[in-house]
């Protein structure tokens, strides 16, 4: 996982990991979300990956454009490291 840039300083996103065909995101509420080409479509996933690398706009995009279209999510265990 890489720390999310959070350039605006208002994001709930702490960290992300880009892999072929998927994007994993960890929020400050200790949830891990998985987005895939199948869950959001290839174009939207590529844009989300670009926003993650850029460090801005990803949270807004997730909540406005692809809400609840994650492939999976789970709450992180206490002490589970993500960075």
């Amino acid at each position: 996982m890489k720390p999310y840039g959070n350039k605006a300083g208002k994001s709930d996103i702490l960290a992300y990991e880009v892999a072929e065909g998927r994007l994993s995101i960890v929020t400050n509420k200790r949830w891990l979300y998985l987005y895939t080409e199948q869950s959001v479509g290839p174009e939207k996933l590529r844009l989300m990956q670009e926003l993650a690398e850029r460090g801005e706009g990803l949270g807004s995009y997730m909540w406005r454009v692809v809400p609840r279209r994650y492939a999976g999510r789970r709450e992180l265990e206490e002490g589970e490291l993500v960075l």
Side-chain angles (χ1 to χ4, degrees):
M1 290 273 176
K2 292 181 179 177
Y4 181 64
N6 194 10
K7 292 182 180 177
K10 301 183 284 186
S11 183
D12 289 340
I13 298 172
L14 290 179
Y16 70 95
E17 183 174 69
V18 172
E20 187 172 336
R22 66 188 170 119
L23 173 66
S24 300
I25 296 167
V26 174
T27 69
N28 61 6
K29 294 178 176 56
R30 303 211 35 90
W31 281 93
L32 172 66
Y33 291 87
L34 173 64
Y35 292 88
T36 65
E37 289 180 345
Q38 291 77 25
S39 69
V40 296
E43 293 89 19
K44 286 183 173 74
L45 181 66
R46 276 194 294 280
L47 178 56
M48 291 172 72
Q49 290 172 330
E50 290 172 16
L51 293 171
E53 294 289 346
R54 204 178 307 154
E56 66 181 333
L58 179 59
S60 297
Y61 187 86
M62 286 170 50
W63 310 132
R64 283 183 329 184
V65 180
V66 294
R68 296 184 185 88
R69 290 187 52 195
Y70 42 82
R73 77 173 182 161
R74 70 177 177 88
E75 191 169 10
L76 296 174
E77 300 292 325
E78 185 66 34
E80 189 173 356
L81 295 177
V82 293
L83 297 175

